[in-house]
Amino acid sequence: MNHNEMKLTSSEIGTLWSGYLADSMANCVLQYFLHNVEDTEIKPIIEYALGLTEEHLNYKNELFEKENFPVPHGFTDHDVNVHAPKLFSDSFMLFYVRQMGIQGLATYSLALGTAARLDIREFFNHNVKTSAELLNNSTTLLQEKGIFTRPPTIEYPETVEYVQKEGWLNGLLGDRRPVNSVEITHLYVNIISNTIGETLMTGFSQVAKTKEIISYLTRARDISKKHVEVFSSLLRDDHLPAPQSTVAEVTGSTEAPFSEKLMLFHTLGLSEMGLSNYGMSVATSNRRDITTAYLRLIAEVGTFADDGAELMIKNEWLEKMPGALERDALGKDK
């Protein structure tokens, strides 16, 4: 049997299906960005990112049709108004696109490791490469413009050392070691992602119209702001710099460029990304006070995401992800 004629596995379906929703959403956001960007250096990177989402959607549409698999509804031109006034600065658009590259690398590298069919592996492998290119190009431009915040630098050790006491794991005052390089990395990554989230939620909350949606988006903004402060304080305690907020990159516009369905879906997507990042951070942080902080924040984000899913269901906006058959229910129908 031709390997490309095998049925898609559950992991392949999961990535392709959820990726379709994410790509259709990103396509709307990037269309709006492209219509409003003024910086001639940033515009080509947004065009490149938009081209990737269109490439992904075309591939998945053809694949789903060939597999006789229902195409998700996702997001369409009805979910974006490209003529709405500018809501975010050009600089923030560049930060946003860079974050897309980071997320694309994380998503497709995991997908590649769990894919079986050759054609699907080739697609995922291509997406890993293009995500890396998007990340590299946007990072280079941010550095050239002098607005990229590098992770903190530390002194090189003079010798190889071994941990001598169990207190190295503690995070209590009086017996607390400085953060190590891996812990710094995760604190930096989580500050950056939450800063972008806080900025997006600030913009979304000021253009949303439904009271319940505004309340949820405002709550998301405040959670992101709080988490930025938690992580930044851990760096500042050891006299290390923390990345600055980008909330000033939001304009005063109150006209919505996106549907409330899209803004709520985007918010949930950021929550899922945060949970994934925090889980990785817990696994690689050795200081007990840091892992305790992550676990506390995971619980908060988990509750927040659950409330958002309920809001999506209430508005009949949540598409059902394909899953195993409910065999017990099938038996009751007889």
Side-chain angles (χ1 to χ4, degrees):
M1 180 188 229
N2 187 321
H3 287 292
N4 293 350
E5 294 177 356
M6 293 188 297
K7 286 185 65 175
L8 295 169
T9 66
S10 57
S11 61
E12 291 164 346
I13 290 172
T15 302
L16 292 165
W17 188 91
S18 59
Y20 189 96
L21 296 181
D23 280 321
S24 63
M25 180 206 72
N27 188 268
C28 292
V29 174
L30 293 170
Q31 284 184 54
Y32 170 71
F33 281 1
L34 187 59
H35 191 269
N36 286 276
V37 68
E38 299 170 61
D39 191 308
T40 55
E41 293 180 307
I42 296 175
K43 185 176 182 179
I45 294 182
I46 295 175
E47 288 175 331
Y48 179 73
L50 180 60
L52 293 181
T53 63
E54 292 173 345
E55 177 184 82
H56 295 175
L57 290 170
N58 289 336
Y59 177 88
K60 290 167 187 173
N61 273 313
E62 292 177 7
L63 178 68
F64 287 147
E65 182 178 353
K66 185 178 70 174
E67 297 287 330
N68 293 316
F69 194 98
V71 179
H73 293 159
F75 299 91
T76 68
D77 291 343
H78 295 294
D79 295 293
V80 59
N81 175 16
V82 298
H83 300 290
K86 193 170 186 175
L87 185 58
F88 302 104
S89 72
D90 290 359
S91 296
F92 179 74
M93 294 180 198
L94 185 56
F95 279 112
Y96 181 97
V97 170
R98 180 177 182 271
Q99 196 67 25
M100 282 183 61
I102 293 173
Q103 188 60 25
L105 274 175
T107 299
Y108 286 113
S109 59
L110 175 61
L112 181 60
T114 57
R117 267 176 46 170
L118 177 60
D119 59 333
I120 305 301
R121 281 186 280 122
E122 288 175 339
F123 175 64
F124 290 160
N125 188 55
H126 170 73
N127 293 346
V128 168
K129 293 177 181 177
T130 53
S131 295
E133 186 171 355
L134 180 62
L135 170 60
N136 285 326
N137 291 345
S138 54
T139 301
T140 297
L141 186 54
L142 284 166
Q143 290 176 330
E144 290 174 353
K145 290 182 174 296
I147 55 176
F148 180 74
T149 303
R150 299 173 64 217
T153 58
I154 57 174
E155 291 295 315
Y156 293 176
E158 295 181 1
T159 61
V160 174
E161 296 182 68
Y162 286 86
V163 175
Q164 298 296 320
K165 56 181 181 178
E166 189 268 344
W168 187 82
L169 301 172
N170 290 338
L172 303 175
L173 290 174
D175 190 27
R176 184 170 68 184
R177 63 163 174 79
V179 285
N180 64 37
S181 56
V182 172
E183 291 162 346
I184 293 170
T185 299
H186 286 281
L187 291 170
Y188 168 84
V189 166
N190 290 318
I191 292 171
I192 291 292
S193 60
N194 274 287
T195 295
I196 290 174
E198 181 189 359
T199 305
L200 275 174
M201 296 304 107
T202 299
F204 287 177
S205 62
Q206 75 185 35
V207 300
K209 303 303 178 188
T210 306
K211 185 176 180 180
E212 199 170 21
I213 302 295
I214 294 172
S215 176
Y216 188 76
L217 296 173
T218 302
R219 182 179 162 197
R221 178 200 66 193
D222 294 344
I223 288 174
S224 293
K225 182 178 181 179
K226 177 183 127 183
H227 289 202
V228 167
E229 179 53 34
V230 170
F231 300 137
S232 296
S233 65
L234 287 165
L235 291 177
R236 288 196 298 265
D237 284 347
D238 288 321
H239 310 286
L240 295 171
Q244 299 299 305
S245 172
T246 56
V247 171
E249 307 298 331
V250 183
T251 73
S253 174
T254 57
E255 183 178 342
F258 311 115
S259 68
E260 292 191 328
K261 172 187 173 183
L262 186 148
M263 291 190 287
L264 185 54
F265 177 86
H266 202 334
T267 305
L268 281 177
L270 292 176
S271 299
E272 292 170 3
M273 182 176 70
L275 287 170
S276 177
N277 288 343
Y278 291 2
M280 181 76 73
S281 301
V282 168
T284 54
S285 297
N286 298 125
R287 228 174 68 182
R288 290 177 180 138
D289 62 322
I290 297 178
T291 57
T292 299
Y294 279 126
L295 292 172
R296 184 180 74 250
L297 300 181
I298 285 173
E300 182 178 30
V301 176
T303 300
F304 172 78
D306 188 60
D307 292 343
E310 290 181 359
L311 196 51
M312 290 280 287
I313 293 169
K314 178 180 177 180
N315 286 280
E316 299 183 353
W317 291 339
L318 187 63
E319 293 190 52
K320 184 178 179 182
M321 178 176 285
L325 288 174
E326 298 179 29
R327 297 193 182 278
D328 291 341
L330 290 173
K332 291 177 182 177
D333 291 339
K334 294 179 181 178

